[in-house]
Amino acid sequence: MRKPVGNSWIVAGVLLALVLGTAQSARGAPPRYTPDWLSLDSRPLPAWFDEAKFGVFVHWGVFSVPAWGSEWFWWHWQGEGQLGYQLFMRDNYPPSFTYGDFGPQFTARFFHPDEWAKLFQAAGAQYVVFTTKHHEGFTNWPSPVSWNWNSKDVGPHRDLVGELGAALRKRNIRYGLYHSLLEWFHPLYLLDKKNGFKTQHFVSTKTMPELYDLVNSYKPDLIWSDGEWECPDTYWNSTHFLAWLYNDSPIKDEVVVNDRWGKNCSCHHGGYYNCQDKFVPESLPNHKWEMCTSLDKWSWGYRRDMKLADVLSESEIIAELVQTVSLGGNYLLNIGPTKDGLIIPIFQERLLAVGKWLQVSGEAIYASKPWRVQLEKNETSVWYTSKDSAVYAIFLQWPEGEVLYLKSPKATSTTRVTMLGLEGDLKWSKDAYEDLRISLPQLPPSALPVEFAWTVKLEGVK
Ligand SMILES: *[C@@H]1O[C@H](CO)[C@@H](O)[C@H](O)[C@H]1NC(C)=O
Ligand SMILES: *[C@@H]1O[C@H](CO)[C@@H](O)[C@H](O)[C@H]1NC(C)=O
Ligand SMILES: *[C@@H]1O[C@H](CO)[C@@H](O)[C@H](O)[C@H]1NC(C)=O
């Protein structure tokens, strides 16, 4: 309860408010966004996101218990009735076993959020996106509207979203929350679907209360929306939520969102664009985008049946990261922890390889901007980035004869060429076609600080 105040204080307070209010509007009050795409799309993207470039995506939920096929297990088994899934259940579980029975086995027994955060930091990730709720509807936080289907009541008996957030923030890693709008089997979602999505029972009692709860409770830096595709944004009430998020929420200045807010929104509306999963544009887009992909080529959630050949190799990962950043995107690389909360060693190794590469080449990645040319192909693929007046040429194969030819940068009298991770300048000259001919150091591969992609820094070029 508030303390009662005397009249004079109220008058003084009103006067003060008037004075402050005038001062505020004289300086130009921040714009109010209206709940339509024209207005919402005009919001500038908070700068931290473009500078971050590299994030880790984490898919964790009840699907991590069967850990077979993919995180779409429930749908493949009982939504589509795929034979392989039926046989898997018949051979491994008692006849009456339901998907809900997996819930108590999602123990998170060995989940140490500080160890995860330490790993993600060593990987060089500037942000982490965590599944708060996938299409199965299980919430990884104590949602008050997900009765008996949340991580506090069932399974871990912990607030996974809150614990991971605290560990990440200790290390200044930005925190993104993945949230699926739809839930495959929620009775109210099925009812709305039956009504041709002309009713919004599910949205008003489940989706929206949970989104507001996530924002107010965890103050995420990013909301990674998904599961939008069956309904228009008007069904989801997305523009109303986003107008509140941008105008009045506790995170209105820093929060970033993606583009999955209703059928036909993806690649057209929202904050930055994901477009399709694993989307790569052919040329430099005029809108900030992010490529999300998974270390396991066939699943986002952990699969016990994953094979070594299913895992992206270190060179594939580095090449994708470089290509994505050169084309103006962010790279969001996914891992699926086990039901106990462990990140298996092969995923750790891959993430650490990225971190090791970024230790040397991060200067060409973090806070970089696309250059006027993105890709040059000759003997080796060269991807360009830039920062201030420096241009970075990242090449993916070591050229034979230790000579790198670059066509696009034009040398001047002040040109200087160095290689990230090595001391000293590199010798260069112009060939008959005015191309830069750069002599790479003659070193045994073991003396080079990184494998798979090397960065030449060009200063004083046009
Ligand atoms: C949609 O948002 C508006 C504005 O916040 C609200 O008045 C309305 O009740 C919401 N509708 C649903 C179905 O949540
Ligand atoms: C929405 O997307 C579908 C499928 O991609 C397409 O057929 C339809 O024309 C689109 N509608 C609008 C209004 O853009
Ligand atoms: C390609 O590399 C060769 C040397 O291998 C060089 O002579 C040539 O100028 C390069 N071509 C282009 C287009 O850069």
Side-chain angles (χ1 to χ4, degrees), residues 228-299:
E228 82 296 0
W229 56 80
E230 291 187 337
C231 330
D233 62 77
T234 45
Y235 169 75
W236 294 120
N237 224 19
S238 302
T239 56
H240 288 277
F241 168 72
L242 291 173
W244 170 79
L245 188 72
Y246 293 174
N247 289 328
D248 300 311
S249 79
I251 49 176
K252 63 189 170 68
D253 297 325
E254 292 282 286
V255 73
V256 167
V257 304
N258 67 345
D259 56 350
R260 298 185 178 176
W261 296 100
K263 206 183 215 167
N264 294 38
C265 280
S266 163
C267 243
H268 300 293
H269 298 298
Y272 70 83
Y273 295 167
N274 279 117
C275 304
Q276 303 300 312
D277 289 354
K278 308 190 184 181
F279 173 77
V280 183
E282 281 172 13
S283 57
L284 183 66
N286 59 10
H287 192 96
K288 182 66 195 181
W289 64 286
E290 175 191 61
M291 187 214 190
C292 62
T293 192
S294 185
L295 273 180
D296 176 357
K297 291 176 199 168
W298 308 113
S299 178

Side-chain angles (χ1 to χ4, degrees), residues 280-345:
V280 183
E282 281 172 13
S283 57
L284 183 66
N286 59 10
H287 192 96
K288 182 66 195 181
W289 64 286
E290 175 191 61
M291 187 214 190
C292 62
T293 192
S294 185
L295 273 180
D296 176 357
K297 291 176 199 168
W298 308 113
S299 178
W300 301 78
Y302 174 65
R303 282 189 306 145
R304 291 177 287 175
D305 52 331
M306 184 183 78
K307 299 188 173 54
L308 181 60
D310 299 337
V311 185
L312 288 181
S313 70
E314 294 180 9
S315 63
E316 285 173 309
I317 298 163
I318 303 287
E320 274 186 352
L321 167 67
V322 168
Q323 170 178 15
T324 300
V325 172
S326 178
L327 289 169
N330 277 19
Y331 189 60
L332 183 64
L333 184 60
N334 177 75
I335 50 140
T338 70
K339 69 183 170 88
D340 324 281
L342 298 173
I343 297 169
I344 56 171

Side-chain angles (χ1 to χ4, degrees), residues 106-254:
F106 179 39
T107 63
R109 181 83 29 88
F110 308 119
F111 170 50
H112 299 297
D114 276 311
E115 286 177 15
W116 286 20
K118 205 168 134 195
L119 174 67
F120 302 152
Q121 184 173 45
Q126 303 295 300
Y127 64 110
V128 168
V129 179
F130 182 54
T131 47
T132 62
K133 183 195 84 169
H134 200 258
H135 315 321
E136 64 185 14
F138 185 89
T139 65
N140 281 336
W141 85 101
S143 163
V145 293
S146 190
W147 184 80
N148 222 23
W149 196 230
N150 70 74
S151 66
K152 195 78 180 182
D153 294 342
V154 178
H157 299 289
R158 290 165 71 173
D159 174 5
L160 306 177
V161 175
E163 287 189 37
L164 181 59
L168 293 171
R169 284 187 160 137
K170 264 195 264 171
R171 294 182 153 78
N172 288 321
I173 300 175
R174 298 267 183 176
Y175 195 26
L177 301 183
Y178 168 102
H179 171 268
S180 171
L181 294 167
L182 71 75
E183 291 175 28
W184 291 316
F185 299 107
H186 195 289
L188 293 179
Y189 184 65
L190 297 178
L191 175 63
D192 287 343
K193 191 185 275 193
K194 208 175 100 214
N195 295 335
F197 296 116
K198 298 282 187 275
T199 55
Q200 291 172 291
H201 302 296
F202 177 66
V203 177
S204 56
T205 58
K206 187 73 169 42
T207 320
M208 280 302 144
E210 288 192 336
L211 267 176
Y212 281 82
D213 184 24
L214 283 171
V215 169
N216 289 319
S217 303
Y218 304 106
K219 306 193 171 49
D221 300 293
L222 193 167
I223 299 176
W224 211 102
S225 185
D226 194 18
E228 82 296 0
W229 56 80
E230 291 187 337
C231 330
D233 62 77
T234 45
Y235 169 75
W236 294 120
N237 224 19
S238 302
T239 56
H240 288 277
F241 168 72
L242 291 173
W244 170 79
L245 188 72
Y246 293 174
N247 289 328
D248 300 311
S249 79
I251 49 176
K252 63 189 170 68
D253 297 325
E254 292 282 286

